[in-house]
Amino acid sequence: MGLFSSRKTVVVDSDVLVIGGGMAGCGATYESRHWGRDLNIVCVEKANIERSGAVAQGLYAINTYMGMQWNENQPEDHVRYARNDLMGLVREDLGYDIARHVDSCVHKFEEWGLPMMRDPETGQYQREGKWQIMIHGESYKPIVAEAATKAASKVYNRIMVTHLLMDKTKPNRVAGAVGFNVRTGDFYVFRATAVIVCAGGASHIYKPRATGEGMGRTWYAPWSSASAYALPILVGAKMTQMENRIVLTRFKDGYGPVGAYFLHLKTYTQNAYGEEYESKWYDHTKELVGDYVDRHPVPTCLRNHALLEEVKAGRGPIRMVTKEAFQDPHKETVGWENFLGMTIGQAVVWASQNIDPKHTNPELTTSEPYVMGSHATCSGAWASGPEDVAPSEYQWGYNRMMTVDGLFGAGDTIGGAAHKFSSGSFAEGRIAAKAAVNYVNNLGKEQPQVSEAEYEDLKKVVFKPMENYEVGRNEIVAGTVSPSYLLPMHGLQRLEKIMDEYVGGISANYITNEPLLTRGLELLEMLKEDLNHLGAEDLHQLQRAWELQHRVIASESVAQHTMFRKETRWPGYYYRADHPKLDDTDWHCFTLSRYDRESGEWEMEKAPVHHIID
Ligand SMILES: Cc1cc2nc3c(=O)[nH]c(=O)nc-3n(C[C@H](O)[C@H](O)[C@H](O)COP(=O)(O)OP(=O)(O)OC[C@H]3O[C@@H](n4cnc5c(N)ncnc54)[C@H](O)[C@@H]3O)c2cc1C
């Protein structure tokens, strides 16, 4: 019997369980109630949904809005745009499905009180770019969370979900989830008929540029800890495009966003000597990727590529020319407000470094890689598509259901569909919820059954790091060092170093190859063995321990996918030095993986890319 076996177990029943109350989770919770008036809808969140997820500190723009009411764009246009940006590889059925529903979501945000900027002449939403509209979005998340809270039977805040539960009567069917309250330490068992995973993307799987005292500063939210991938992976759900990590060009040291600067303020970049540099790399890039370099707009990864090459050629730093735009007082205000509503840290960094963009052109740099399914990238779970548009190979069940029965996902969780952003993630949450409610209603008496033995075993596993600490601290030799446990921070730094050096992080200039990946996977295996000895001195550290576990399994998936795809599809995101060119003959396909938790083996396969939009 373990030291913590006396902990309270709380059992919660639900028809639909939403894991993660970020943008997708709020959309899923809201929509579940619309279709399932009498159902028991539960949302579980490790923070507090009022200020959780990647939108926690607010946004200045909603990046996905068609504007169909004003005939600005059609869903087909957005599919073409996302396909182009992802170098040809997107699930067009999923993207189309989101694009056709996203506008109505944005209209709801406005109805709920989100202040939208409008063009004073036309009265239409103020465009920042072709797809983006500008908002006064500091309170974006609380506004969306209020709607979800009102819709839910109950929201359980401060509960970190660690594992999914499987049905004891039918293989490959989900039956709920377990986790623990990060404040009280109670163990929670959520029994559910359908589960929608909306647990966000993954930061801190690669060593960040900001280390030491600044290591909390990353571009993607530091609390995005890969649960969205780990939870499904561990129950055998197929994943797709996990190699398609994203690298962002951002203002140096504060990761401040550049979109409003480029699109609205019309700023531009130059090298250290004041020269335009992107065109210099045109021929070189064309050799690598062919005609993709001629597409408009130039794919995000290729713009990174030109910057990286220019820096490698010794003509860095790259700067954004802000001095001209900031002479216009309106643009100067917009430039600063852009940070104040979204990334206040960038304004603080500039203040601390004596940078006034009116007088100094600030430096840009490329970030460490992140994994997510909602930005200019499309890693995540392989999901069934919408009945009316998905080709038969992409349809095996309900819309947004993974390859595990009853397990749905949305937002960063679902792979293959890039450029969802905040609004598209919310829309996808709604889409998944509608399907999940159908699934619940159609199931009738065939309800999944949770095994008490399974969750009792998991309870021991979940609290083991606290037990390890309790025992191991008696052997502390100096400071916090004990020979018998590993602290979550140490494990995290080890993970980040492995991913950085072997799987194409910043210190390797985003370069990897088969021998590096092979060694990286060996080191990840050793790290996994050591994770059995994680020590957590309190509940906060226990959360860190489980976040680390989730990051490690997601990282392994990234490494496996990177190994499998023998080409460099997205130069600027990462490079397979042993296969330096894009290869449409063999690799115009999705990569799929399935992890077998019994054997620890990964099965890899290719899936076709069907183009349903011309
Ligand atoms: C810096 C930055 C700038 C951005 N700029 C824009 C922009 O300008 N416009 C735009 O439209 N979009 C923008 N985005 C993108 C947008 O924020 C994301 O696309 C969107 O939030 C993804 O939604 P999601 O629900 O998948 O993830 P999130 O919104 O991150 O939600 C995930 C939720 O899951 C919870 N969670 C995680 N793990 C667990 C667990 N194990 N147990 C319980 N709960 C868990 C998290 O706490 C969180 O609440 C930006 C993102 C970032 C980080």
Side-chain angles (χ1 to χ4, degrees), residues 4 7 9 161-166 176-180 187-190 231 234-235 450-465 542 546 550 597:
F4 296 93
R7 277 185 188 281
T9 297
V161 172
T162 55
H163 300 83
L164 294 176
L165 290 169
M166 295 304 275
V178 298
F180 64 97
F187 181 64
Y188 273 77
V189 178
F190 294 95
L231 294 171
L234 289 170
V235 295
V450 164
S451 149
E452 194 175 335
E454 185 186 1
Y455 71 69
E456 285 300 341
D457 283 349
L458 283 173
K459 186 175 179 184
K460 290 186 202 119
V461 171
V462 167
F463 292 103
K464 179 99 186 322
L542 188 64
W546 282 103
H550 288 176
R597 67 173 158 176

Side-chain angles (χ1 to χ4, degrees), residues 173-185:
R173 185 161 81 169
V174 78
V178 298
F180 64 97
N181 186 303
V182 302
R183 295 283 160 84
T184 65

Side-chain angles (χ1 to χ4, degrees), residues 44 98 102 127 227 252 310 327 402 487 503 522 561:
V44 49
I98 293 169
V102 74
R127 281 280 175 197
S227 302
K252 190 168 177 296
E310 189 69 4
Q327 300 312 316
M402 303 182 201
L487 293 176
V503 194
E522 285 166 5
H561 276 254

